[in-house]
Amino acid sequence: MIRPATPGDVPEILAMVRELADYENAPQEVRSTEAQLHQALFGERPAAFAHVAEHDGRAAGFALWFLNFSTWRGKHGIYLEDLFVRPRYRGEGYGRALLAELAAICVERGYQRLEWSVLDWNEPAIGFYKSLGAIPMDEWTVYRLTDEPLRALAGR
């Protein structure tokens, strides 16, 4: 079953974020707290959204996403920040079902794109995404500012 996340899901979502970071060999990068995640998902003006895949009442996976905008298309889209299915539930269709739910939201709301990033070494995920018809945007390189470089650019 795929359903929108509820406030009670925040501890499990954060646990899965940590599991994802472990899988991506970056557990030290997770700084989120339950309070921050709760505010982002369920605060007065939510900036992010999540769906949970359930298996026998337990969280098997999640998708966390937010809206982006294409100036070329003049429409919103969805940027999938995280898609994670716990290892014991992989291969059972939960990842596909989560992506299908986001695709349905795009179609229903007139959004033009569903986009995400994947680590170049994650061959299982890349193969899965390609099997759905997703195409890599190989000509694009993601850039990021965080921590001190971000503060330096801001002049603070």
Side-chain angles (χ1 to χ4, degrees):
M1 175 172 83
I2 306 301
R3 61 171 177 76
T6 66
D9 293 316
V10 168
E12 275 300 298
I13 291 172
L14 185 55
M16 288 186 284
V17 167
R18 290 186 177 122
E19 291 172 45
L20 174 60
D22 285 341
Y23 176 76
E24 293 182 349
N25 300 312
Q28 72 285 354
E29 296 294 323
V30 178
R31 298 179 189 171
S32 294
T33 65
E34 286 184 21
Q36 289 171 320
L37 195 54
H38 185 275
Q39 181 64 30
L41 294 170
F42 304 106
E44 186 177 320
R45 292 176 45 159
F49 309 92
H51 283 75
V52 173
E54 279 191 354
H55 178 90
D56 292 334
R58 294 193 43 126
F62 78 104
L64 194 141
W65 56 278
F66 55 88
L67 294 181
N68 60 12
F69 185 81
S70 170
T71 55
W72 288 21
R73 297 218 173 183
K75 299 277 186 170
H76 280 292
I78 286 178
Y79 186 84
L80 175 60
E81 178 66 20
D82 286 328
L83 175 69
F84 181 75
V85 176
R86 289 183 157 141
R88 66 184 166 272
Y89 301 114
R90 292 184 187 153
E92 296 185 27
Y94 292 109
R96 187 181 202 297
L98 285 162
L99 284 172
E101 180 66 20
L102 298 187
I105 291 169
C106 285
V107 170
E108 290 166 8
R109 297 181 186 178
Y111 300 162
Q112 296 290 299
R113 293 179 177 163
L114 174 55
E115 296 180 312
W116 61 92
S117 297
V118 61
L119 291 166
D120 59 8
W121 57 258
N122 194 344
E123 290 298 327
I126 291 168
F128 168 62
Y129 298 143
K130 286 182 176 179
S131 77
L132 298 174
I135 55 170
M137 304 298 291
D138 293 334
E139 68 275 14
W140 292 87
T141 300
V142 176
Y143 283 82
R144 177 178 294 158
L145 282 171
T146 61
D147 303 323
E148 188 52 40
L150 178 65
R151 288 187 289 278
L153 182 60
R156 298 185 180 134

